[in-house]
Amino acid sequence: MTTTSIHANRIFAGQPTTVFETMSRLAREHDAVNLGQGFPDDPGPLDVRQRAAEAVVGGWNQYPPMLGLPELREAVASHYAHHQGIGLDPEREVLITSGATEAIAAALLALIEPGDEVVLFQPMYDAYLPLVRRAGGVPRFVTLQPPDWRLTEAALVAAFSTKTRVVLFNDPLNPTATMFPPEDLALLARFVVASDAIVISDEVWEHVVFDGQAHTSLLALPELRERTVKIGSAGKIFSLTGWKVGFACASPPLREVVAKAHQFLTFTTPPNLQSAVAYGLGKPDGYFHDMRTGFARSRDRLADGLRSLGYPVLPSAATYFLNVDLAPLGITDDVAFCQRLVTEHGVAAIPVSAFYAEDAVTTVVRFCFAKHDETLDRALGRLAGVPLGR
Ligand code: GLN
């Protein structure tokens, strides 16, 4: 095969295919149980899907307003008022996007001037760094360490500078499955305020938190209320990851500039999905409670199974994921381990080193537990055949 060399942007051309896509492809090729890419087995709430179907057949299928359907912006504001005690003006402080990733891209493109420093926390979601770089941002990394993945003052001192303009934060954090405690949020807020920066706060896992814990949005911290772009995802809230309906919530001047970028990225988001999400956001508390309880059960099933096979399981407080740290087993190459797991043992997982730009932790492997019991049991059955000895 001849390869034609084309003129292209180096940042994207130099990227590998995402680890999620790669592992899902390997899972298909090897007929593996896919605990890699994070998506639930469950088809998602029937009433919400029915609303979408009705809206496709009987509703408006032309461009909705650029900022999002008014009914959805109102539903987002009421939802966050009810669940997180945040007061938002649906007219001036809410923007609907085609997924959280678009919201993040729009916020980065809108807020970064070339040369601005952007603080990122490793391990970080794979889309962050290429988007920051493409926007002209200069990344400064805070590297978190297992098993707690906490912020430290020393790490923040090293990453923040007089050139810091944007902080890209994710809480609950994918892939670590942890939530930052209030003292870490307060520490971060202190640095953000001192450097006069804006935080893009990826809170897509806000509802997928376990054991009676509650997520705190950075928008709820008074000192960050005017400095935060809070990003949410209907895909994660309703286990409908393919829907790609996201929200960006921020004070009016911030929301306005993010919308300026959004209007030239996707401009709008399918109106039928927007109206179904507007309906879903008003579901009773019981729905959200049951969703969390169901995922926590699956988490425990997978965690117990892995533990009984000898895997050192790290705590999972949120997200669809749990991690194992293979260091005590003498396994130090997570990529090779995951490659062997999918090709020889028929289980796909994600090597956490894929979430680092430098100084990667290479002993941690992420499994998705948002699956039916049978799927988890099938994976555990196969994992039982993996030799773990030193
Ligand atoms: N958010 C999903 C995960 O972390 C992946 C989404 C994607 O494949 N782009 O697994």
Side-chain angles (χ1 to χ4, degrees):
M1 197 169 64
T2 54
T3 50
T4 323
S5 125
I6 54 161
H7 178 80
N9 176 263
R10 223 174 308 170
I11 293 163
F12 286 120
Q15 290 294 319
T17 300
T18 83
V19 69
F20 309 114
E21 183 71 22
T22 302
M23 290 314 291
S24 284
R25 185 176 51 74
L26 283 173
R28 284 191 295 274
E29 282 170 12
H30 294 274
D31 200 19
V33 184
N34 191 355
L35 304 188
Q37 194 174 32
F39 60 91
D41 270 353
D42 194 84
L46 182 61
D47 54 347
V48 177
R49 288 184 289 130
Q50 248 154 3
R51 281 288 179 133
E54 284 158 18
V56 168
V57 175
W60 179 255
N61 284 282
Q62 309 307 333
Y63 298 126
M66 181 273 281
L67 295 172
L69 289 187
E71 72 186 268
L72 178 52
R73 283 187 276 134
E74 272 155 33
V76 168
S78 314
H79 184 84
Y80 285 138
H82 175 66
H83 290 275
Q84 297 180 5
I86 301 167
L88 287 165
D89 174 353
E91 289 288 314
R92 299 159 70 224
E93 297 192 306
V94 181
L95 169 72
I96 308 306
T97 59
S98 293
T101 304
E102 195 231 336
I104 292 166
L108 291 169
L109 290 168
L111 293 171
I112 294 173
E113 276 277 77
D116 286 349
E117 290 189 1
V118 179
V119 173
L120 295 148
F121 301 80
Q122 309 187 98
M124 68 199 151
Y125 189 60
D126 68 343
Y128 292 177
L129 186 56
L131 290 172
V132 165
R133 288 216 161 105
R134 193 65 186 93
V138 178
R140 302 290 305 265
F141 299 109
V142 172
T143 301
L144 309 171
Q145 298 294 339
D148 296 330
W149 315 99
R150 296 277 308 269
L151 300 182
T152 64
E153 173 129 19
L156 297 188
V157 167
F160 279 77
S161 84
T162 52
K163 292 194 204 140
T164 306
R165 290 290 165 270
V166 173
V167 176
L168 180 44
F169 191 59
N170 176 212
D171 184 37
L173 180 60
N174 176 13
T176 65
T178 50
M179 244 190 319
F180 291 99
E183 56 271 34
D184 288 26
L185 302 185
L187 179 68
L188 178 66
R190 178 148 65 76
F191 278 79
V192 170
V193 171
S195 58
D196 198 18
I198 301 293
V199 196
I200 300 170
S201 187
D202 173 352
E203 303 181 4
V204 300
W205 299 103
E206 58 199 347
H207 268 297
V208 192
V209 301
F210 311 124
D211 309 318
Q213 295 185 79
H215 161 77
T216 302
S217 171
L218 291 189
L219 261 193
L221 303 187
E223 66 274 40
L224 295 185
R225 178 64 179 82
E226 309 298 314
R227 299 183 173 276
T228 299
V229 181
K230 167 185 170 65
I231 290 172
S233 159
K236 300 297 189 294
I237 296 177
F238 299 110
S239 310
L240 297 164
T241 60
W243 274 27
K244 306 299 286 184
V245 178
F247 334 121
C249 302
S251 63
L254 264 179
R255 198 290 306 262
E256 193 177 336
V257 73
V258 177
K260 294 277 168 69
H262 159 75
Q263 67 181 347
F264 297 133
L265 285 170
T266 59
F267 178 61
T268 46
T269 299
N272 353 76
L273 299 183
Q274 290 196 49
S275 80
V277 169
Y279 159 79
L281 288 174
K283 279 168 89 67
D285 291 356
Y287 166 77
F288 300 96
H289 176 264
D290 293 350
M291 182 260 283
R292 284 192 276 271
T293 314
F295 283 135
R297 246 196 70 259
S298 303
R299 172 199 63 178
D300 294 343
R301 191 177 190 94
L302 184 61
D304 292 347
L306 286 169
R307 245 182 247 114
S308 71
L309 294 175
Y311 284 91
V313 175
L314 298 178
S316 163
T319 76
Y320 296 154
F321 310 114
L322 67 77
N323 293 290
V324 294
D325 188 348
L326 303 170
L329 304 173
I331 298 169
T332 53
D333 185 342
D334 60 342
V335 174
F337 181 82
C338 288
Q339 188 74 22
R340 244 189 4 262
L341 215 56
V342 69
T343 58
E344 294 171 25
H345 301 279
V347 178
I350 299 287
V352 163
S353 62
F355 294 77
Y356 289 78
E358 58 188 36
D359 306 324
V361 170
T362 61
T363 58
V364 178
V365 168
R366 189 193 86 173
F367 293 93
C368 175
F369 56 70
K371 304 291 174 188
H372 293 142
D373 287 354
E374 310 83 77
T375 309
L376 297 176
D377 293 349
R378 198 145 34 91
L380 287 165
R382 293 181 180 192
L383 289 167
V386 181
L388 282 186
R390 277 163 189 268

